Amino acid sequence: MKKKVAIIGSGIAGLTAANLFKENYNFDVVVYEREKILSLEEGYGIQLAPNSVSVLNKIGFSNLDNNDFFNPSKLNFYSSDNKKICDLDLSNFNSDKVKYTTLRRSVLIEFLKKNLFENNLRFGKEVRKISKIKEKLLINFKDNTNDLVDFIIVSDGVFSNTKSVVENKNINPSYNGSIAIRTVIKPSSEFNYDKNNISLVMLKNAHIVIYPINKKGELNLVCIVRQKLSKNIDLNRLIKKEILLQNKNLENLFRDQLEHWPIYITKKPSKSIYENLFYLGDAFYTFPPTMAQGASQAIEGAYDLFNLLSQEKQEIQRLYFQKRLKKIKLINSRSRLNYYSFHLSNPMLVKARNAILKKVTKSRKFLNSYFGNIYQEI
């Protein structure tokens, strides 16, 4: 008899999991989304390393329109005065069919959605209660409907309401002391960086990442600025104070429409009280943004969980948690180091950092050690 899988949340993690389970005839899968529609308006960029691209290729990602993504081959490092320090060859981690990829988040969501049938997606569904009935789980929704399932995958984001319902306590993420400012830069002759690769500009208490997101010349910009949590942020004033006072030439990067939000992370990964309920993506653990692995780890985690459930292993909850915990520790150690080194202010430390970067970015042994266990194909 087929096993029924309910996925709570229709972000990258949930939709990736749904696509994987849909291809296995031993499972029936339904995605439940609290919102009335699946929003495709968010056009900001995401980065996908080979570890996630290799998973997506298993569900047809390689057939995506060639104009809708980009394959940068380098990561360029710049000092606060726009001088290039060095570059890192991302193609070291690529293969013929699996390459480091950048694109709009909405393009990936649309790809994941179109592979699902209408009966795989249910909207306007908010979880009121989850309870165990023998070996199954009963989901009670706020619209007074129910579903009895074999497995539940909760993937409704860093502010997961479902997690608080399941664990019967308020679970809130922590502010990490910085905000993200995002915009999409339109094609322009005024752009002073490499339009075909990723550029990282390191400043005092801030850094900027710019990269192409398609073949149309559009570039994604995300600026991470250390900032106390506040409900009322004067964005223009903040940019002038924290960015433009260090380099006025960066003003051109912030001319288009800007969005900003505080960055939250989770203190520890989540493990459910139910053996057949699993947290995935940001609901499981939210990464700091300085390794650009948020989307990739959501996809990788979905694949790990799919494999464990498909193989009908014993103690799946324990195996899944242990495997993801190992990867979390690896990425977090590097994310913390990146966060610190990208934001240095002491001139002597900046000089030492730049010298080290020039050396290590040309060391294949170092790159394999620092990135290889994260970026490697699955």
Side-chain angles (χ1 to χ4, degrees), residues 204-232:
K204 176 184 175 181
N205 293 324
H207 72 277
I208 300 170
V209 181
I210 314 160
Y211 54 88
I213 51 177
N214 51 42
K215 305 292 194 308
K216 305 168 188 175
E218 294 178 321
L219 299 128
N220 184 78
L221 178 146
V222 58
C223 177
I224 307 298
V225 185
R226 297 192 186 220
Q227 171 72 17
K228 290 182 179 180
L229 186 61
S230 173
K231 291 182 179 179
N232 300 307

Side-chain angles (χ1 to χ4, degrees), residues 323-339:
K323 186 167 186 179
R324 299 313 306 158
L325 181 62
K326 183 178 180 181
K327 187 59 68 73
I328 283 170
K329 289 180 177 178
L330 187 66
I331 295 172
N332 270 347
S333 64
R334 286 148 174 74
S335 295
R336 287 194 295 269
L337 177 59
N338 288 354
Y339 189 70

